[in-house]
Amino acid sequence: MAYELLLLEISDRIATVTINRPDKLNALNDALMKELGAMMDELTANKTVGAIIITGAGRAFVAGADIARLAAAEPGELETFARRGQGVFRRIELSAKPVIAAVNGFALGGGCELALACHVRIASTLAKFGLPEVKLGLIPGYGGTQRLPRLIGRGQALQMILTGDTIDGAEAVRVGLANIAVEPDALAGAARAMATAMLKNAPVAIARAIESVDAGLDATLEDGLRLEARLFGSLEATADMREGTKAFLEKRPPDFRGV
Ligand code: COA
């Protein structure tokens, strides 16, 4: 697919996807959502890619779903609109390769929800996170009411959702929404450093870890533990498990092959 609203750069097995609609603060319109979904499928299938960074061009990460599009919605269309967007973000969340949000600026509404669907969030100190949908007579529709309370707890999430107020990068770290916050010019480097740290590890183990956390969050503790044991056991069949344990005992770095 030809991408008009996304930039892609791949180096050292890290794909950096830059949302590139800066004149509209990278607001998510239908074309952008379609490209994002296609990009995720492409990167998931690309064997030269081991980790993905999502960031925004200009002063925004993503300032939300395109409000002009919402205002023009046909009667009865909004539920489908939400389900379609949720589907795209779920593909990000279920990616077997780590997806890191490098939040450079406004991450509002759908932009905050996009960051929430990523596996980890690295924020610029200048980032502004918020779910301002209630100010528009809406609620978050791309997963915000579900992922935010799971991530930061019901009370903190409801404060953000019901006030619509924004918080900066440092506050996002304090409440557990962002993993770390760094100065703006250190953001790209910090995201790459985290991706590189993840890429040192066994790819199949990384995929199973993501799967175990994702499924476990919605399971009872007992079911989650059973799933974890099953996935743990499944790694027995991988050459990388043999290699990782052997390399440790031989006091050398492992040479993982992803099988
Ligand atoms: N949808 C559509 N267009 C958007 C947008 C969105 N979510 N967010 C910003 N834009 C557009 C603006 O309309 C403006 O376009 P224009 O130059 O053609 O008028 C452009 O991006 C720049 O935004 P502007 O509002 O002029 O910048 P600002 O610095 O004054 O304010 C924000 C920045 C982020 C505070 C403000 O744009 C905003 O509140 N955006 C909406 C955030 C939101 O409610 N998101 C949730 C949507 S569900």
Side-chain angles (χ1 to χ4, degrees), residues 23-25 27 59 63-68 70 106 108-110 132-133 136:
D23 56 322
K24 295 289 181 191
L25 301 185
R59 63 195 176 97
D66 191 313
I67 297 172
L70 290 172
F106 293 113
L108 304 178
E133 285 87 347
L136 302 169

Side-chain angles (χ1 to χ4, degrees), residues 3-223:
Y3 297 97
E4 292 179 359
L5 299 165
L6 296 178
L7 304 174
L8 173 64
E9 192 227 301
I10 301 176
S11 67
D12 301 327
R13 301 188 59 225
I14 302 169
T16 301
V17 178
T18 303
I19 298 171
N20 189 30
R21 198 189 172 211
D23 56 322
K24 295 289 181 191
L25 301 185
N26 303 325
L28 301 169
N29 61 11
D30 292 351
L32 191 32
M33 289 301 275
K34 199 166 169 210
E35 288 193 16
L36 201 51
M39 180 66 84
M40 282 312 299
D41 291 346
E42 191 177 315
L43 295 178
T44 305
N46 185 335
K47 291 201 167 27
T48 71
V49 170
I52 300 161
I53 295 170
I54 300 180
T55 193
R59 63 195 176 97
F61 175 68
V62 165
D66 191 313
I67 297 172
R69 171 69 181 86
L70 290 172
E74 302 285 335
E77 194 194 347
L78 281 186
E79 183 174 345
T80 315
F81 177 89
R83 289 301 281 166
R84 204 181 311 125
Q86 289 173 358
V88 173
F89 286 9
R90 189 77 176 126
R91 267 138 86 186
I92 294 172
E93 188 167 55
L94 290 178
S95 161
K97 303 173 185 181
V99 186
I100 297 169
V103 182
N104 52 301
F106 293 113
L108 304 178
C112 186
E113 293 169 298
L114 170 60
L116 287 169
C118 295
H119 298 129
V120 295
R121 285 144 294 281
I122 301 184
S124 152
T125 47
L126 293 184
K128 294 268 183 246
F129 293 87
L131 290 172
E133 285 87 347
V134 289
K135 294 178 192 279
L136 302 169
L138 284 166
I139 64 168
Y142 285 172
T145 66
Q146 303 306 303
R147 292 195 179 96
L148 191 61
R150 281 171 168 78
L151 187 64
I152 70 173
R154 181 193 292 235
Q156 296 282 5
L158 276 170
Q159 181 179 334
M160 285 185 70
I161 293 166
L162 300 182
T163 63
D165 287 348
T166 58
I167 58 174
D168 65 17
E171 179 67 0
V173 173
R174 196 188 68 75
V175 298
L177 172 43
N179 296 64
I180 53 170
V182 297
E183 293 300 317
D185 58 5
L187 182 66
R192 285 193 76 82
M194 192 176 287
T196 303
M198 293 173 176
L199 283 173
K200 289 201 175 104
N201 302 319
V204 183
I206 291 277
R208 299 278 196 276
I210 292 170
E211 185 183 346
S212 190
V213 169
D214 185 80
L217 273 171
D218 289 323
T220 62
L221 180 62
E222 258 321 312
D223 287 348

